[in-house]
Amino acid sequence: MATIKDVARLAGVSPMTVSRVLNGSGYVKEETRIRVQKAMEELEYIPNENARGLVNKKTKLLSLLISDITNPFFTTIARGAEDAANRLGYRMIFGNSDENIKKEKEYVEMVLASGTEGVLFAPSGDFSLPHLRLLKKHQIPFVLLDREVPRIQADKVMGDSRTGTRLLIEHLIDFGHTEIACFSGPSHISTARDREKAFQETLLIHGIQLRPEWIIPTDYKLEGGREAVRQLLKMKKRPTAIFAANNFIAIGAIQELQEHGLQVPDDISIVTFDDLSLATITEPFLTAAVQPAYHFGALGIQMLVDRIQGTAPSDWRTVILPPELRIGRSTKRIH
Amino acid sequence: MATIKDVARLAGVSPMTVSRVLNGSGYVKEETRIRVQKAMEELEYIPNENARGLVNKKTKLLSLLISDITNPFFTTIARGAEDAANRLGYRMIFGNSDENIKKEKEYVEMVLASGTEGVLFAPSGDFSLPHLRLLKKHQIPFVLLDREVPRIQADKVMGDSRTGTRLLIEHLIDFGHTEIACFSGPSHISTARDREKAFQETLLIHGIQLRPEWIIPTDYKLEGGREAVRQLLKMKKRPTAIFAANNFIAIGAIQELQEHGLQVPDDISIVTFDDLSLATITEPFLTAAVQPAYHFGALGIQMLVDRIQGTAPSDWRTVILPPELRIGRSTKRIH
DNA sequence: GTGAAAGCGCTAACAA
DNA sequence: TTGTTAGCGCTTTCAC
């Protein structure tokens, strides 16, 4: 592995001159520059970023921490983030916390240890607070993605859970449903709280009686949706529709319903947040409040880089990206 | 940001002692160790991995280069890789080459610059050769994933394109199809070549006449499938079934067919390699040769770490993971 | 224009 | 059991 010294020796200059050529800093005679560049190519020299970072703290490295790499919502965010980062001259590393606070901690420490200049952070939930505090303490700028964390000041790119939920529930009401269950996410995740609250509000506004036993808290995973269905099926009275707080819950629910011989939408309708992008093979199956995931990522990186380069306004910015109602085949008009 | 010196000062020892506590190397009096650990906690000390890597070349960092982060096949690989890496005490960074040789090059350089100990590499195609040579030159071990690259010696985790293709085509034949088109991938990708070849062989074995115009080369993306359909629809004679070389081609094809008023499987059947995991909402829609993506990743990391730690056999190993035929609703019996 | 010296945070090798 | 010295690959500062 060639070092700056090897290049210097081959080019017959000092390491310092090579460094100048590398960084385009200071004055270097055109002739010397060319000689150095030739030497770099010949040795297939690649500057050691660790060493560079050690000296000048500019690693041109950003991190993206997402909470579930198997969820298309987050991988699409990753794509948006990556494209934006490359456009702005930054490299990216990705970490997957897997909705797991311990893994998240490890990644935050790894991020700190790696010399990242900034973090795009999709927190696993409220318990992410200490991790964010840690980033603050180490003066690493970050942008919060998708989920709020109480008691933390930061730039944020958020969805609009309230509007999305309202659109979905009103679509159900429009289709004649008044008996609607809510498969909610974990209460330590802000979007889960917001969606559940908006669910209750929307019913209230439309004068629909709320049945507390139909609000089933679960997690944002397939198994959560399955478990919620099992609970629901034990009850005497069943709803005609389900509002699932995220895509995985919806799919798990559909799978479990299926296994119990219930068809969507014939036996029960279902709506959800976020789609599966690719799963929309023919017409979209899931009726969903679709969020612009790619823009979550791209915008987040933009804000992060603004903050790193000091071009962001001094007060924190929150951008809210609205969801769009996309009607699929998972909902059916009744009555 | 606290350094090892700060910790040393607070604990009243030399940096070297702190280093020993950190690494569990050498002898440290129990009492001293505790004092140092207290100091580390108090300062929320996180060792700078760059500096460590600079010294001892052991960064405990692995890289995964995948060719399309939006493809569930690859994200599932990522999960498998990550789990295995964590289990073995390594951290991971992910890079997405986006099937783009230029981006791939940038990532390889970034990987080299980052001090990664090894790379799990899903090459974008044959043109990845120079990048692999570069890794060799820098003595970074790597394991090739999913795709072969001619003229390179390496450990490999591969699928079995031949068997998978045969299973799919024979399923079609079994369903009465003899007029089958092949939407092939780019010829610079080994799996695409293998699948196309296996397609031809299987037809031959079953005495089915090959129609060269029905072999349509395209890329492994949605748009590729769409474009292939447009070409197909211009022809006088249309097949009753399509063999798509990967999942994205299949989906793009289905979408485009749909837009031309053709239904799958009623008007045309379709089979493909790899599923979309989540897209299998109810029963699986796509009839597919499903590959064990998670194991691709997990096994790849295992082999990589074996190589890094010198516990691998001296000659190169190739593991072939067989696909499984999963019959969905995208194929229909005819005659 | 170019180079020498010093140091970023850490650890291997050697001393004590 | 602990500390000192030197150096990983690079850049900053200052001299020439």
Side-chain angles (χ1 to χ4, degrees), chain A residues 7 11 18 21-22 30-43 45:
Chain A
V7 177
V18 178
V21 171
L22 210 54
E30 188 56 22
E31 192 189 308
T32 318
R33 174 191 315 284
I34 291 172
R35 204 144 35 89
V36 169
Q37 278 165 341
K38 272 227 182 75
M40 293 206 269
E41 274 171 38
E42 188 167 333
L43 295 171
Y45 170 67

Side-chain angles (χ1 to χ4, degrees), chain B residues 98-112:
Chain B
D98 210 14
E99 304 277 12
N100 175 326
I101 200 72
K102 239 182 82 198
K103 271 178 104 172
E104 187 175 287
K105 176 152 191 248
E106 283 168 17
Y107 266 111
V108 169
E109 290 182 348
M110 159 179 158
V111 156
L112 287 173

Side-chain angles (χ1 to χ4, degrees), chain B residues 155-228:
Chain B
D155 292 316
K156 300 171 192 172
V157 182
M158 295 289 147
D160 185 345
S161 286
R162 228 163 138 223
T163 302
T165 304
R166 194 175 47 71
L167 289 172
L168 291 171
I169 303 301
E170 290 183 345
H171 163 68
L172 285 176
I173 293 172
D174 183 44
F175 267 23
H177 296 270
T178 55
E179 306 187 322
I180 307 171
C182 172
F183 289 180
S184 180
S187 62
H188 63 88
I189 298 182
S190 69
T191 53
R193 287 192 298 270
D194 294 345
R195 289 165 196 182
E196 183 177 328
K197 189 152 161 254
F199 169 75
Q200 301 193 13
E201 281 175 5
T202 310
L203 290 195
L204 194 69
I205 290 170
H206 290 270
I208 295 173
Q209 171 90 48
L210 186 75
R211 286 172 165 266
E213 74 272 22
W214 280 354
I215 297 186
I216 303 180
T218 178
D219 58 24
Y220 270 169
K221 305 196 169 185
L222 286 182
E223 186 49 34
R226 284 177 169 272
E227 172 58 24

Side-chain angles (χ1 to χ4, degrees), chain A residues 182-193:
Chain A
C182 171
F183 289 1
S184 179
S187 61
H188 63 87
I189 298 182
S190 69
T191 52
R193 287 193 300 270

Side-chain angles (χ1 to χ4, degrees), chain A residues 196-217:
Chain A
E196 183 177 328
K197 190 153 160 255
F199 170 74
Q200 300 193 14
E201 281 175 6
T202 310
L203 290 195
L204 194 68
I205 290 169
H206 289 270
I208 296 173
Q209 171 91 48
L210 186 75
R211 286 172 163 267
E213 74 272 23
W214 280 354
I215 297 186
I216 304 180

Side-chain angles (χ1 to χ4, degrees), chain B residues 113-153:
Chain B
S114 74
T116 301
E117 288 190 56
V119 185
L120 198 54
F121 201 116
S124 66
D126 293 354
F127 304 135
S128 299
L129 182 61
H131 305 159
L132 297 172
R133 291 246 165 95
L134 197 57
L135 289 175
K136 284 232 156 155
K137 177 149 192 169
H138 288 257
Q139 312 202 43
I140 309 290
F142 57 89
V143 172
L144 240 39
L145 224 54
D146 182 51
R147 300 170 182 177
E148 292 272 358
V149 173
R151 293 193 301 287
I152 207 82
Q153 305 277 347

Side-chain angles (χ1 to χ4, degrees), chain A residues 243-262:
Chain A
F243 162 60
N246 91 338
N247 50 4
F248 277 12
I249 293 178
I251 295 163
I254 293 172
Q255 287 173 341
E256 188 74 21
L257 285 167
Q258 188 95 23
E259 289 176 16
H260 289 272
L262 293 169

Side-chain angles (χ1 to χ4, degrees), chain A residues 42-322:
Chain A
E42 188 167 333
L43 295 171
E44 300 198 42
Y45 170 67
I46 293 177
N48 181 325
E49 288 294 337
N50 286 341
R52 294 180 110 171
L54 200 55
V55 175
N56 61 13
K57 270 91 182 111
K58 290 265 167 287
T59 55
K60 285 283 175 188
L61 189 63
L62 302 179
S63 299
L64 171 64
L65 233 65
I66 57 183
S67 42
D68 189 350
I69 200 185
T70 60
N71 191 329
F73 175 62
F74 289 113
T75 55
T76 309
I77 285 180
R79 278 297 305 278
E82 204 201 5
D83 287 352
N86 287 345
R87 210 167 41 238
L88 294 165
Y90 284 80
R91 305 169 296 149
M92 292 220 62
I93 66 179
F94 303 93
N96 171 32
S97 73
D98 210 14
E99 305 276 13
N100 175 326
I101 200 72
K102 238 182 84 200
K103 270 179 105 173
E104 187 175 286
K105 175 150 192 251
E106 284 169 17
Y107 265 112
V108 169
E109 291 183 348
M110 158 180 157
V111 155
L112 287 173
S114 74
T116 301
E117 289 190 56
V119 185
L120 198 54
F121 201 117
S124 67
D126 293 356
F127 304 135
S128 299
L129 181 62
H131 305 159
L132 298 172
R133 290 246 164 95
L134 197 58
L135 289 176
K136 284 232 156 156
K137 176 148 193 168
H138 288 256
Q139 313 200 45
I140 310 290
F142 57 87
V143 172
L144 240 40
L145 225 54
D146 183 51
R147 299 170 183 178
E148 292 273 358
V149 173
R151 295 194 299 286
I152 206 82
Q153 305 277 347
D155 291 317
K156 300 170 191 172
V157 182
M158 295 289 146
D160 186 345
S161 286
R162 229 163 137 222
T163 302
T165 305
R166 195 175 47 71
L167 289 171
L168 291 170
I169 303 302
E170 289 182 345
H171 163 69
L172 286 175
I173 293 172
D174 183 44
F175 267 23
H177 296 271
T178 55
E179 306 186 321
I180 308 171
C182 171
F183 289 1
S184 179
S187 61
H188 63 87
I189 298 182
S190 69
T191 52
R193 287 193 300 270
D194 293 346
R195 288 166 197 182
E196 183 177 328
K197 190 153 160 255
F199 170 74
Q200 300 193 14
E201 281 175 6
T202 310
L203 290 195
L204 194 68
I205 290 169
H206 289 270
I208 296 173
Q209 171 91 48
L210 186 75
R211 286 172 163 267
E213 74 272 23
W214 280 354
I215 297 186
I216 304 180
T218 178
D219 58 24
Y220 271 168
K221 304 197 169 182
L222 286 182
E223 186 47 34
R226 284 177 168 272
E227 172 56 25
V229 163
R230 287 195 289 271
Q231 285 190 38
L232 197 66
L233 294 183
K234 283 193 208 128
M235 300 180 188
K236 281 185 297 266
K237 185 154 173 62
R238 288 184 197 165
T240 62
I242 295 169
F243 162 60
N246 91 338
N247 50 4
F248 277 12
I249 293 178
I251 295 163
I254 293 172
Q255 287 173 341
E256 188 74 21
L257 285 167
Q258 188 95 23
E259 289 176 16
H260 289 272
L262 293 169
Q263 297 302 322
V264 174
D266 294 330
D267 298 307
I268 196 160
S269 288
I270 191 159
V271 296
T272 183
F273 251 86
D274 298 321
D275 65 346
L276 297 174
S277 46
L278 293 172
T280 61
I281 295 191
T282 51
E283 343 81 284
F285 179 75
L286 283 173
T287 294
V290 179
Q291 303 193 92
Y294 186 91
H295 287 99
F296 270 71
L299 217 71
I301 288 292
Q302 182 64 62
M303 288 168 76
L304 186 58
V305 170
D306 281 353
R307 185 62 66 191
I308 290 168
Q309 301 183 337
T311 51
S314 61
D315 46 346
W316 304 110
R317 290 179 295 173
T318 297
V319 174
I320 306 227
L321 296 176

